[in-house]
Amino acid sequence: MRNFKDIFDQFDWNEVTDSIYAKTRQDVELALNKSDNRDIEDFKALISPAATPYLEQMAQLSNRLTLERFGKTIQMYVPMYLSNECQNICTYCGFSYDNRIERTTLTDDQIQQEINAVKAKGYDHVLLVTGEANKTVGVDYLKNALEIANPQFSNISIEVQPLDQDEYETLLRAGLYAVLVYQETYHKAEYKKHHPKGKKSKFYYRLDTPDRLGKAGVHKIGLGALLGLEDWRTDSFFTALHLDYLEKQYWKTKYSISFPRLRPYEGCLQPKVNISDRELVQLICAYRIFNQEVELSLSTRESETFRNNVMKLGVTTFSAESKTNPGGYSVYPQDTLEQFEISDERSTEDVAQSIRDNGYEPVWKDWDRSLV
Ligand code: SF4
């Protein structure tokens, strides 16, 4: 069985970029006028500069397709950071090994304390997050955390270091539902520059992680690129190509896409390429028009205004009131050592109310383990 690497290696970054920028208005209209079965060339047209005059049309189509598949709902989840220990150097992350910060990993009692805090806010879907530190937050730690959380949530996702297939199988037995693993950038040389040390520096091990997840039978896989490290259009093309490949190869699995933006702020890595609000809307609509099944997730990295504006344009999943430090909800609520700054600081109830004000329903649980 082949892996995504075999497909990826057939593409040249610069040629892909040139072909996106060469798309014409005719290509965009062709993509918009198809009734279904849009392909990766259509996706290229929809993210190209040629599509910018069609944004309103794209937004209307994206809205309609999302309503047909997902109805007027937004799924709610909350990230729960269990550890900020990390042996990787990533140029854009507050937990990077070379940052002299206090490191902490939650104990069983502290995990339970955090669970109590997010359950009290109404969450039934949780995303457990750790850095990459095999000795402290390896498979045994994750298995134990899943076993603690499993009886208390309907749906548990993780965003942790990439693992081997048998390790994912172990975690599935402990209650794992979904795994998010973002490639950050599909540009090999830039990837190396931003991940100079640690296991994460192995580009192809990360690239083939979704294949290992598919083979292990993980129920949902989340993909994405960190927008700003490289040309967002080319990185998004490779993300869509990855999605397309995985859907065909592991057709029983569900998929989600995230679009984290590297935001310019003082003291942190500045984006090499900015993606404006308008361009991010274009990208969200392009993903939806390209793929009607995929979940599209928007985190609190984005502002209240932006999230309110794009709620109806294709997004299906929101986090709210997120803390990006371990123990941030209850154990260490004053801690300022966050992985990244969030923009939307509203309470869970305020976000839920604004979803209702837009005529949508916040969904706290849309999945039950008895259905699997
Ligand atoms: S992005 Fe992940 S792997 Fe990289 S430093 Fe941050 S926590 Fe570690």
Coordinates of all heavy atoms in Angstrom, one line a residue, residues 205-252:
Y205 N 8.3 11.7 8.6 CA 7.6 11.0 9.6 C 6.3 11.7 10.0 O 5.2 11.1 10.2 CB 8.5 10.9 10.9 CG 7.8 10.0 12.0 CD1 7.7 8.6 11.8 CD2 7.3 10.6 13.2 CE1 7.1 7.9 12.8 CE2 6.7 9.8 14.1 CZ 6.6 8.4 14.0 OH 6.0 7.7 14.9
R206 N 6.4 13.0 10.0 CA 5.1 13.8 10.3 C 4.2 13.7 9.1 O 3.0 13.5 9.3 CB 5.5 15.3 10.5 CG 4.3 16.0 11.2 CD 4.8 17.4 11.7 NE 3.7 18.0 12.4 CZ 3.4 17.8 13.7 NH1 4.2 17.1 14.5 NH2 2.4 18.4 14.3
L207 N 4.7 13.8 7.9 CA 3.9 13.8 6.7 C 3.1 12.5 6.6 O 1.9 12.5 6.2 CB 4.7 13.9 5.4 CG 4.0 14.1 4.1 CD1 3.4 15.5 4.0 CD2 4.9 13.9 2.9
D208 N 3.7 11.4 7.0 CA 3.0 10.1 6.9 C 2.2 9.7 8.2 O 1.6 8.6 8.2 CB 4.0 9.0 6.6 CG 4.3 8.9 5.1 OD1 3.5 9.4 4.3 OD2 5.3 8.3 4.8
T209 N 2.1 10.6 9.1 CA 1.3 10.4 10.3 C -0.2 10.1 10.0 O -0.7 9.1 10.6 CB 1.5 11.5 11.4 OG1 2.8 11.7 11.6 CG2 0.7 11.2 12.7
P210 N -0.8 10.9 9.2 CA -2.2 10.6 8.9 C -2.4 9.2 8.3 O -3.4 8.5 8.5 CB -2.6 11.7 7.9 CG -1.8 12.8 8.3 CD -0.4 12.2 8.6
D211 N -1.4 8.7 7.5 CA -1.5 7.3 7.0 C -1.5 6.3 8.2 O -2.3 5.4 8.2 CB -0.3 7.0 6.1 CG -0.6 7.4 4.6 OD1 -1.4 6.8 4.0 OD2 0.0 8.4 4.2
R212 N -0.6 6.6 9.1 CA -0.6 5.6 10.3 C -1.9 5.7 11.1 O -2.4 4.7 11.6 CB 0.6 6.0 11.2 CG 2.0 5.8 10.5 CD 3.1 5.8 11.5 NE 3.3 7.0 12.3 CZ 3.9 8.1 11.8 NH1 4.4 8.1 10.6 NH2 3.9 9.2 12.5
L213 N -2.5 6.9 11.1 CA -3.8 7.0 11.8 C -4.8 6.3 11.1 O -5.7 5.6 11.7 CB -4.1 8.5 11.9 CG -3.3 9.3 12.9 CD1 -3.5 10.8 12.6 CD2 -3.6 9.0 14.3
G214 N -4.8 6.4 9.8 CA -5.8 5.7 8.9 C -5.7 4.2 9.1 O -6.7 3.5 9.3
K215 N -4.5 3.7 9.1 CA -4.3 2.3 9.2 C -4.7 1.8 10.6 O -5.1 0.7 10.7 CB -2.8 1.9 8.9 CG -2.4 2.0 7.5 CD -0.9 1.9 7.3 CE -0.6 2.3 5.8 NZ 0.8 2.7 5.6
A216 N -4.5 2.6 11.6 CA -4.8 2.2 13.0 C -6.3 2.3 13.2 O -6.8 1.7 14.1 CB -4.2 3.2 14.0
G217 N -7.1 2.9 12.3 CA -8.5 3.0 12.4 C -9.0 4.1 13.3 O -10.1 4.0 13.9
V218 N -8.2 5.2 13.5 CA -8.7 6.3 14.2 C -9.9 6.9 13.6 O -10.0 7.0 12.3 CB -7.5 7.4 14.4 CG1 -8.0 8.7 14.9 CG2 -6.4 6.8 15.3
H219 N -10.9 7.3 14.3 CA -12.2 7.7 13.8 C -12.2 9.0 13.0 O -12.9 9.2 12.1 CB -13.3 7.8 14.9 CG -13.3 6.5 15.7 ND1 -13.8 5.3 15.2 CD2 -13.0 6.2 17.0 CE1 -13.7 4.4 16.1 NE2 -13.2 4.9 17.2
K220 N -11.4 9.9 13.5 CA -11.3 11.2 12.8 C -9.9 11.7 12.8 O -9.2 11.6 13.8 CB -12.3 12.3 13.4 CG -12.4 13.6 12.7 CD -13.5 14.4 13.1 CE -13.2 15.2 14.3 NZ -14.3 16.1 14.8
I221 N -9.5 12.3 11.7 CA -8.1 12.9 11.5 C -8.3 14.4 11.2 O -9.0 14.7 10.3 CB -7.4 12.2 10.4 CG1 -7.2 10.7 10.7 CG2 -6.0 12.8 10.2 CD1 -6.7 9.9 9.5
G222 N -7.5 15.2 11.9 CA -7.6 16.6 11.6 C -6.3 17.1 11.0 O -5.2 16.7 11.4
L223 N -6.4 17.8 9.9 CA -5.2 18.3 9.1 C -5.2 19.8 9.1 O -6.2 20.5 9.4 CB -5.4 17.8 7.6 CG -5.6 16.4 7.3 CD1 -5.8 16.2 5.8 CD2 -4.4 15.5 7.8
G224 N -4.0 20.3 8.7 CA -3.9 21.8 8.6 C -2.5 22.2 8.4 O -1.6 21.4 8.5
A225 N -2.3 23.5 8.0 CA -1.0 24.1 7.9 C -1.0 25.3 8.7 O -2.1 25.9 8.9 CB -0.7 24.4 6.4
L226 N 0.1 25.7 9.3 CA 0.2 26.9 10.0 C 0.4 28.1 9.0 O 1.5 28.2 8.5 CB 1.4 26.9 11.0 CG 1.6 28.1 11.9 CD1 0.3 28.5 12.7 CD2 2.7 27.8 12.9
L227 N -0.7 28.8 8.8 CA -0.7 29.8 7.7 C 0.2 31.0 8.0 O 0.0 31.6 9.1 CB -2.1 30.2 7.4 CG -3.1 29.0 7.1 CD1 -4.5 29.6 6.9 CD2 -2.7 28.3 5.9
G228 N 1.1 31.2 7.2 CA 2.0 32.3 7.4 C 3.5 31.9 7.3 O 4.4 32.7 7.1
L229 N 3.7 30.6 7.5 CA 5.1 30.1 7.4 C 5.6 30.2 6.0 O 6.8 30.4 5.7 CB 5.2 28.6 7.9 CG 5.0 28.4 9.4 CD1 5.2 26.9 9.8 CD2 6.0 29.3 10.3
E230 N 4.7 29.9 5.1 CA 5.0 29.9 3.6 C 3.8 30.5 2.9 O 2.8 30.8 3.5 CB 5.3 28.5 3.2 CG 6.8 28.4 2.7 CD 7.2 29.3 1.6 OE1 6.4 29.7 0.8 OE2 8.4 29.7 1.6
D231 N 3.8 30.5 1.6 CA 2.7 30.9 0.8 C 1.4 30.1 1.2 O 1.4 28.9 1.0 CB 3.0 30.7 -0.7 CG 1.9 31.3 -1.6 OD1 0.7 31.1 -1.3 OD2 2.2 32.1 -2.5
W232 N 0.4 30.8 1.7 CA -0.7 30.0 2.2 C -1.5 29.3 1.1 O -2.1 28.2 1.4 CB -1.7 31.0 3.0 CG -2.4 32.0 2.1 CD1 -1.9 33.3 1.9 CD2 -3.6 31.9 1.4 NE1 -2.8 34.0 1.1 CE2 -3.8 33.1 0.7 CE3 -4.5 30.9 1.2 CZ2 -4.9 33.4 -0.1 CZ3 -5.6 31.1 0.4 CH2 -5.8 32.3 -0.2
R233 N -1.4 29.8 -0.1 CA -2.1 29.1 -1.2 C -1.5 27.8 -1.5 O -2.2 26.8 -1.6 CB -2.1 30.0 -2.4 CG -3.0 31.2 -2.3 CD -3.1 32.0 -3.6 NE -4.1 33.0 -3.6 CZ -4.0 34.2 -3.2 NH1 -2.8 34.7 -2.9 NH2 -5.0 35.1 -3.2
T234 N -0.2 27.7 -1.5 CA 0.5 26.5 -1.9 C 0.4 25.5 -0.7 O 0.1 24.3 -0.9 CB 2.0 26.7 -2.2 OG1 2.0 27.9 -3.1 CG2 2.6 25.5 -2.9
D235 N 0.5 26.0 0.5 CA 0.4 25.1 1.7 C -1.1 24.5 1.7 O -1.3 23.4 2.0 CB 0.7 25.8 3.0 CG 2.1 25.5 3.5 OD1 2.6 24.3 3.2 OD2 2.7 26.3 4.1
S236 N -2.0 25.3 1.4 CA -3.4 24.9 1.4 C -3.7 23.9 0.3 O -4.5 22.9 0.4 CB -4.4 26.1 1.3 OG -4.2 26.9 2.4
F237 N -3.0 24.1 -0.9 CA -3.2 23.1 -2.0 C -2.7 21.7 -1.4 O -3.4 20.7 -1.6 CB -2.3 23.5 -3.2 CG -2.1 22.4 -4.1 CD1 -3.0 21.9 -5.0 CD2 -0.9 21.6 -4.0 CE1 -2.8 20.8 -5.8 CE2 -0.6 20.5 -4.8 CZ -1.6 20.1 -5.7
F238 N -1.5 21.7 -0.8 CA -1.0 20.4 -0.3 C -1.9 19.8 0.8 O -2.1 18.6 0.9 CB 0.4 20.5 0.1 CG 1.4 20.5 -1.0 CD1 2.1 21.7 -1.3 CD2 1.6 19.4 -1.8 CE1 3.0 21.7 -2.4 CE2 2.5 19.4 -2.8 CZ 3.2 20.6 -3.2
T239 N -2.5 20.7 1.6 CA -3.4 20.2 2.6 C -4.6 19.5 2.0 O -5.1 18.4 2.4 CB -3.9 21.3 3.6 OG1 -2.7 22.0 4.0 CG2 -4.7 20.8 4.7
A240 N -5.2 20.2 0.9 CA -6.3 19.6 0.2 C -6.0 18.4 -0.5 O -6.8 17.4 -0.6 CB -6.9 20.7 -0.8
L241 N -4.8 18.3 -1.1 CA -4.3 17.1 -1.7 C -4.2 16.0 -0.7 O -4.6 14.8 -1.0 CB -2.9 17.4 -2.4 CG -2.3 16.3 -3.3 CD1 -3.1 16.3 -4.6 CD2 -0.8 16.5 -3.5
H242 N -3.7 16.3 0.4 CA -3.6 15.3 1.5 C -4.9 14.8 1.9 O -5.2 13.5 2.0 CB -2.9 16.0 2.7 CG -2.1 15.0 3.6 ND1 -1.1 15.5 4.4 CD2 -2.1 13.7 3.7 CE1 -0.6 14.4 5.0 NE2 -1.2 13.3 4.6
L243 N -5.9 15.7 2.1 CA -7.2 15.3 2.5 C -7.9 14.4 1.4 O -8.5 13.4 1.7 CB -8.1 16.6 2.6 CG -9.6 16.4 2.7 CD1 -9.9 15.8 4.1 CD2 -10.3 17.8 2.6
D244 N -7.7 14.8 0.1 CA -8.3 14.0 -1.0 C -7.7 12.6 -1.0 O -8.5 11.6 -1.2 CB -7.9 14.8 -2.3 CG -8.9 14.5 -3.4 OD1 -10.1 14.4 -3.1 OD2 -8.5 14.3 -4.5
Y245 N -6.4 12.5 -0.8 CA -5.8 11.2 -0.8 C -6.3 10.3 0.3 O -6.7 9.2 0.2 CB -4.3 11.4 -0.7 CG -3.6 10.2 -0.1 CD1 -3.2 9.1 -0.9 CD2 -3.3 10.1 1.2 CE1 -2.6 8.0 -0.4 CE2 -2.6 9.0 1.8 CZ -2.3 7.9 1.0 OH -1.7 6.8 1.5
L246 N -6.4 10.9 1.5 CA -6.8 10.2 2.7 C -8.2 9.7 2.6 O -8.5 8.6 3.0 CB -6.6 11.0 4.0 CG -5.1 11.3 4.4 CD1 -5.1 12.5 5.4 CD2 -4.4 10.1 5.0
E247 N -9.1 10.6 2.1 CA -10.5 10.2 2.0 C -10.7 9.0 1.1 O -11.5 8.2 1.4 CB -11.3 11.4 1.4 CG -11.7 12.3 2.5 CD -12.8 13.3 2.0 OE1 -12.8 13.5 0.8 OE2 -13.5 13.8 2.8
K248 N -9.9 8.9 0.1 CA -10.0 7.8 -0.8 C -9.4 6.5 -0.2 O -9.9 5.4 -0.3 CB -9.3 8.1 -2.2 CG -10.1 9.1 -2.9 CD -9.5 9.5 -4.2 CE -10.3 10.5 -4.9 NZ -9.6 11.7 -5.4
Q249 N -8.3 6.7 0.5 CA -7.5 5.6 1.1 C -8.2 5.0 2.3 O -8.3 3.8 2.5 CB -6.1 6.1 1.4 CG -5.1 5.0 1.6 CD -4.5 4.5 0.2 OE1 -5.1 4.8 -0.8 NE2 -3.5 3.7 0.3
Y250 N -8.7 5.9 3.2 CA -9.3 5.5 4.5 C -10.7 6.1 4.5 O -10.9 7.1 5.2 CB -8.4 6.0 5.6 CG -6.9 5.7 5.5 CD1 -6.0 6.7 5.1 CD2 -6.5 4.4 5.6 CE1 -4.7 6.3 4.8 CE2 -5.1 4.1 5.4 CZ -4.2 5.0 5.0 OH -2.9 4.7 4.8
W251 N -11.5 5.5 3.8 CA -12.9 6.1 3.5 C -13.8 6.0 4.7 O -14.8 6.7 4.8 CB -13.5 5.5 2.3 CG -13.5 4.0 2.3 CD1 -12.6 3.1 1.9 CD2 -14.6 3.2 2.8 NE1 -13.0 1.8 2.1 CE2 -14.2 1.8 2.6 CE3 -15.8 3.4 3.4 CZ2 -15.0 0.7 3.0 CZ3 -16.6 2.4 3.8 CH2 -16.2 1.0 3.6
K252 N -13.5 5.1 5.7 CA -14.3 5.0 6.9 C -14.1 6.2 7.9 O -14.8 6.4 8.8 CB -14.1 3.7 7.6 CG -14.7 2.5 6.8 CD -14.5 1.3 7.7 CE -14.9 0.0 7.0 NZ -14.4 -1.2 7.7

